[in-house]
């Protein structure tokens, strides 16, 4: 035996209000949507039919009158009394794209603010006018009505406690919010709330006047005066609109809030995912004819068409950047000062934007700020570091040795500098071990005299996995330089793994470690302190070398292992003990 589901309407309304819709205010959007779709259906039969939605607000009630196609008595029974069934579907049940509504639950949203809904309707296809009254307890009645003109009137009897949502001021604001761009006349108590044309539509005005008008529209919409504005157009999705560039820097973690209209009805003020993630510096207002909404009509449905739109809009923002470089270099520099991070993210995968970064974006170098193109021209054999700490530690030393450096330690910079190879504009990364070979050797006589000191330094650094070398280099104010390499870093990881492994694996890793390269503490013979240390008692000299080792680690922002911390503490206490004797 087959049975029909029994629906608890109060439960359905509670589900809508708590889990589908974000706020009761959407009731007016749904009523506007139904009216707009009814007008669309009537104009398909009669293009000259009137296109009006009249909203009348009075204490305790709100009435929405439309000049749409209306419903017959059979349609009233079929559509208004069946949850989830929509008149806006074809014979196979698919939503028809010319209508705003798709899910057959729009009228139910009226129960978010009312305990009774009355509908009076007369169909353009003939027949008598019909009245339908539904209550939030799930009951309804159908009876003849006296309406003479074609169309539909929906009247809500406001429930106690919902008055704030149906006051004249609130209804006017909601009508402007959701329906200001609808291509029909919408009035609230006689005051029109719709605009005659889309704000970004071409008008009889100069480009400068249009730009000024759009910038003002962006200020009113988003609350900031945009840096620039650009047109958006994706014909495959029936999408047009504008993007406004933020006038101040914004991090990539900030969620972009775009304003999206579907067939000129507001979908949401906080749409996400409309632009690629790298374009976090833009805010859009768009109207689309073919994108799909979610059931709540408060977000876009993620599908292949939305992915195509995202790709096309990203390409248009990218083309705007390229045009800016060609037509207004000063504006481009201003933009890059604000939004360099987004451009860098795009440049990782786009050669044209990589050329823009190469030629226009300034980087920190050992010679001061300059573009990468300028850096390559001045220093054909320049290098870049992969961390900010390494740049700060080695910049002065490298400059003294004739090696120019670019700081590639910030987000995306290292990948961009490596990506320059795609443009045949390579800048090689710096291997700190290479720097050691550029530092001048010490005079042979001085090195011979310093052998006892170097032997003491070697004994002090041996437990720390580091070697001591003596060189003669600038700046003379720097007593020691901790220099590692990729191979030495791998050896350090190997040593740490051996310390944490069991006995068998510790022996295996220990055999590998004995052949591995080690980092170096490069002592500067030009530094007066180092020359004085060379003449000290070997035990005291070893303690001083431990102190220099710890200082060099801290100066280079290298991580301190427990053994490094212990050596630093030991050297401090040792030198303090020696000082007070």
């Amino acid at each position: 035996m087959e049975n029909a589901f029994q629906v608890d309407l109060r439960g359905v309304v509670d589900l809508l209000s708590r889990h589908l819709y974000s706020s009761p205010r959407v009731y007016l959007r749904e009523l506007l949507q139904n009216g707009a779709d009814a007008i669309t259906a009537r104009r398909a039969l009669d293009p000259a039919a009137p296109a009006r939605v009249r909203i009348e607000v009075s204490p305790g009630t709100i009435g929405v009158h439309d000049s749409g196609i209306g419903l017959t008595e059979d349609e009233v029974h079929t559509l208004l009394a069946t949850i989830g069934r929509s008149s806006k579907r074809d014979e196979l049940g698919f939503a028809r794209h010319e209508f705003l509504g798709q899910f057959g639950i729009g009228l139910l949203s009226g129960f978010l603010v009312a305990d009774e809904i009355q509908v009076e309707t007369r169909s353009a296809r003939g027949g008598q006018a019909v009245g339908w009254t539904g209550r939030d307890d799930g009951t309804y009645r159908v009876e003849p009505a006296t309406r003479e003109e074609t169309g539909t009137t929906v009247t809500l009897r406001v429930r106690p406690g919902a008055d704030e949502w149906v006051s004249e001021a609130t209804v006017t604001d909601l009508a402007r919010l959701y329906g200001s761009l609808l291509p029909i006349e919408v009035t609230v108590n006689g005051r029109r709330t719709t605009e005659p044309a889309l704000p970004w539509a071409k008008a009889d005005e100069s480009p400068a006047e249009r730009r000024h008008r759009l910038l003002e529209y962006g200020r009113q919409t988003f609350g900031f005066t945009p840096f620039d504005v650009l047109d958006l157009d994706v014909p495959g999705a029936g999408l047009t609109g504008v993007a406004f560039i933020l006038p101040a820097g914004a991090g990539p973690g900030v969620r972009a809030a775009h304003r999206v209209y579907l067939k000129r009805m507001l979908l949401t003020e906080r749409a996400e995912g409309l632009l690629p993630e790298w374009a976090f510096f833009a805010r859009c207002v768009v109207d689309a004819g073919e994108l799909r909404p979610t059931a709540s009509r408060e977000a876009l449905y993620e599908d292949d068409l939305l992915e195509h739109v995202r790709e096309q809009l990203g390409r248009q923002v990218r083309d705007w950047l390229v045009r800016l470089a060609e037509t207004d270099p000063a504006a481009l520099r201003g933009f890059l000062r604000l939004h360099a991070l987004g451009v860098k993210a795009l440049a990782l995968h786009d050669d044209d934007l990589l050329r823009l970064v190469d030629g226009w974006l300034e980087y920190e170098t050992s010679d001061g700020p300059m573009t990468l193109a300028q850096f390559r021209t001045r220093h054909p054999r320049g290098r870049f570091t992969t961390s900010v700490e390494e740049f700060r530690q080695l910049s002065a030393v490298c400059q003294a040795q004739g090696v120019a450096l670019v700081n590639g330690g910030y987000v995306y910079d290292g990948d961009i500098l490596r990506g320059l190879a795609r443009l045949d504009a390579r800048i090689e990364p710096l291997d700190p071990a290479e720097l050691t070979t550029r530092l001048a050797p010490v005079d042979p006589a001085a090195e011979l005299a310093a052998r006892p000191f170097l032997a003491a330094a070697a004994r002090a650094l041996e437990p720390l996995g580091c070697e001591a070398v003596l060189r003669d280099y600038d700046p003379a104010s720097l007593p020691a330089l901790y220099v590692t390499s990729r191979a030495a870093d791998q050896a350090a990881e190997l040593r740490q793994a051996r310390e944490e492994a069991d006995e068998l694996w510790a022996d295996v890793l220990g055999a590998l470690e004995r052949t591995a390269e080690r980092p170096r503490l490069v002592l500067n013979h030009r530094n007066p302190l180092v020359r004085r240390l060379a003449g000290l008692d070997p035990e005291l000299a070893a303690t001083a070398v431990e102190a220099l080792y710890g200082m060099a680690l801290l100066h280079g922002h290298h991580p301190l292992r427990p053994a490094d911390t212990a050596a630093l503490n030991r050297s401090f206490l040792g030198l303090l003990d020696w000082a007070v004797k």
Side-chain angles (χ1 to χ4, degrees):
M1 181 175 65
E2 294 185 354
N3 294 283
F5 285 104
Q6 299 300 311
V7 178
D8 180 354
L9 186 57
R10 282 197 177 99
V12 172
V13 172
D14 182 71
L15 179 67
L16 293 178
S17 62
R18 295 180 183 272
H19 300 289
L20 185 63
Y21 297 129
S22 62
S23 166
R25 70 178 186 167
V26 299
Y27 82 92
L28 191 70
R29 182 196 65 193
E30 298 297 324
L31 296 179
L32 279 175
Q33 168 189 299
N34 288 342
D37 284 339
I39 291 170
T40 299
R42 184 177 179 184
R43 285 199 152 187
L45 300 176
D46 178 11
R52 296 187 303 271
V53 173
R54 191 176 76 255
I55 302 173
E56 295 179 352
V57 182
S58 59
T61 64
I62 175 173
V64 180
H65 313 266
D66 69 65
S67 59
I69 195 168
L71 299 173
T72 65
E73 183 173 353
D74 288 342
E75 289 171 336
V76 166
H77 283 285
T78 301
L79 300 172
L80 300 189
T82 306
I83 296 172
R85 178 171 294 180
S86 174
S87 63
K88 301 143 192 173
R89 295 177 180 271
D90 60 23
E91 303 81 42
L92 299 178
F94 294 108
R96 290 156 63 184
H97 77 278
E98 66 267 27
F99 295 122
L100 295 166
Q102 299 180 8
F103 301 101
I105 56 178
L107 189 62
L108 287 179
S109 66
F111 287 118
L112 297 175
V113 297
D115 50 21
E116 182 180 281
I117 300 176
Q118 294 179 347
V119 177
E120 288 190 358
T121 182
R122 178 182 288 276
S123 175
R125 294 181 289 268
Q128 296 296 313
V130 182
W132 177 93
T133 302
R135 288 173 289 276
D136 63 357
D137 61 3
T139 62
Y140 73 94
R141 71 174 184 270
V142 178
E143 56 192 0
T146 59
R147 182 185 178 97
E148 296 184 0
E149 61 180 1
T150 299
T152 300
T153 295
V154 178
T155 303
L156 305 182
R157 303 293 179 186
V158 182
R159 70 157 57 96
D163 297 308
E164 63 174 305
W165 298 109
V166 294
S167 67
E168 181 177 351
T170 299
V171 171
T172 301
D173 289 342
L174 292 177
R176 287 198 177 103
L177 174 67
Y178 289 116
S180 63
L181 300 188
L182 285 172
I184 59 178
E185 180 183 306
V186 178
T187 60
V188 177
N189 286 358
R191 291 190 296 276
R192 180 163 181 155
T193 60
T194 49
E195 302 294 335
L198 292 171
W200 51 87
K202 298 293 194 298
D204 186 16
E205 56 189 343
S206 68
E209 291 172 333
R210 180 174 183 269
R211 172 182 163 80
H212 177 76
R213 178 173 58 80
L214 288 177
L215 290 176
E216 177 60 21
Y217 172 68
R219 187 190 65 77
Q220 294 176 358
T221 302
F222 292 110
F224 60 80
T225 301
F227 175 84
D228 202 356
V229 57
L230 61 144
D231 286 296
L232 303 174
D233 184 18
V234 183
L239 183 147
T240 62
V242 283
F244 299 100
I245 307 302
L246 293 175
V254 176
R255 291 187 174 183
H258 307 292
R259 180 172 288 220
V260 176
Y261 294 81
L262 293 186
K263 301 178 181 68
R264 301 181 66 162
M265 174 74 81
L266 179 69
L267 177 74
T268 176
E269 302 168 272
R270 304 193 64 80
E272 298 179 11
L274 186 66
L275 291 179
E277 290 185 1
W278 57 260
F280 55 81
F281 49 80
R283 298 291 180 268
C284 300
V285 182
V286 300
D287 176 59
E290 302 296 333
L291 291 177
R292 295 171 58 193
T294 58
S296 68
R297 287 188 51 80
E298 294 181 319
L300 292 169
Y301 185 79
E302 189 70 41
D303 57 11
D304 291 342
L305 182 57
L306 179 57
E307 179 63 31
H308 171 72
V309 166
R310 187 182 298 125
E311 179 183 338
Q312 292 300 312
L313 294 183
R315 182 173 299 173
Q316 290 172 27
V317 173
R318 170 249 187 223
D319 291 345
W320 167 78
L321 280 171
V322 174
R323 287 196 306 273
L324 204 62
E326 296 172 350
T327 61
D328 195 345
L332 178 65
R333 292 189 186 96
F335 170 82
L336 290 176
R337 282 193 295 269
L338 297 172
H339 304 297
L341 203 59
V343 178
K344 289 179 183 179
L346 181 56
L348 297 180
H349 313 288
D350 187 297
D351 286 353
D352 285 338
L353 266 294
L354 184 60
R355 290 187 183 91
L356 186 149
V357 168
D358 181 49
W360 294 96
L361 191 61
E362 289 190 342
Y363 276 72
E364 184 180 8
T365 79
S366 54
D367 279 0
M370 66 181 68
T371 66
L372 297 178
Q374 292 170 334
F375 179 82
R376 289 196 315 278
T377 300
R378 295 186 188 183
H379 307 286
R381 300 181 63 83
R383 297 287 189 267
F384 71 89
T385 63
T386 55
S387 74
V388 176
E389 291 78 12
E390 190 176 57
F391 175 82
R392 291 172 180 170
Q393 180 194 19
L394 301 179
S395 178
V397 178
C398 286
Q399 191 172 25
Q401 313 311 313
V403 179
L405 285 186
V406 177
N407 185 356
Y410 293 110
V411 178
Y412 302 128
D413 285 346
D415 292 330
I416 284 176
L417 285 157
R418 294 184 189 94
L420 289 176
R422 304 200 310 261
L423 309 180
D424 294 326
R426 187 184 300 273
I427 299 177
E428 296 292 343
L430 174 72
D431 186 345
E434 172 191 351
L435 181 60
T436 309
T437 64
R438 290 177 173 264
L439 301 180
V442 179
D443 179 77
E447 185 170 14
L448 182 62
R451 279 186 178 179
F453 167 66
L454 290 175
R459 288 192 299 271
L461 297 179
E462 173 65 25
L464 302 172
C466 184
E467 298 177 352
V469 295
L470 190 63
R471 292 290 186 269
D472 199 3
Y473 58 91
D474 286 323
S477 58
L478 185 66
L481 181 67
Y482 181 83
V483 176
T484 186
S485 65
R486 296 176 185 85
D489 289 338
Q490 293 171 357
E493 294 173 1
L494 183 67
R495 182 165 53 254
Q496 182 176 356
R498 180 176 64 81
E499 293 171 354
E500 298 173 357
D502 57 31
E503 184 177 354
L504 173 61
W505 282 108
D507 291 340
V508 173
L509 295 173
L512 295 174
E513 184 187 349
R514 284 191 289 272
T515 62
E517 184 176 329
R518 293 187 171 192
R520 293 179 173 182
L521 183 67
V522 186
L523 299 165
N524 188 1
H525 190 258
R526 291 190 185 179
N527 183 265
L529 175 62
V530 172
R531 290 199 299 271
R532 289 174 59 191
L533 292 178
L536 292 180
D537 174 79
E539 183 177 351
L540 181 57
T543 301
V545 167
E546 281 187 334
L548 290 177
Y549 171 81
M551 187 185 72
L553 288 178
L554 294 173
H555 181 69
H557 298 274
H558 297 285
L560 294 181
R561 302 166 298 161
D564 300 329
T565 303
L568 189 59
N569 291 336
R570 185 170 57 246
S571 64
F572 173 77
L573 293 175
L575 292 175
L576 188 61
D577 180 66
W578 177 82
V580 298
K581 284 183 179 179

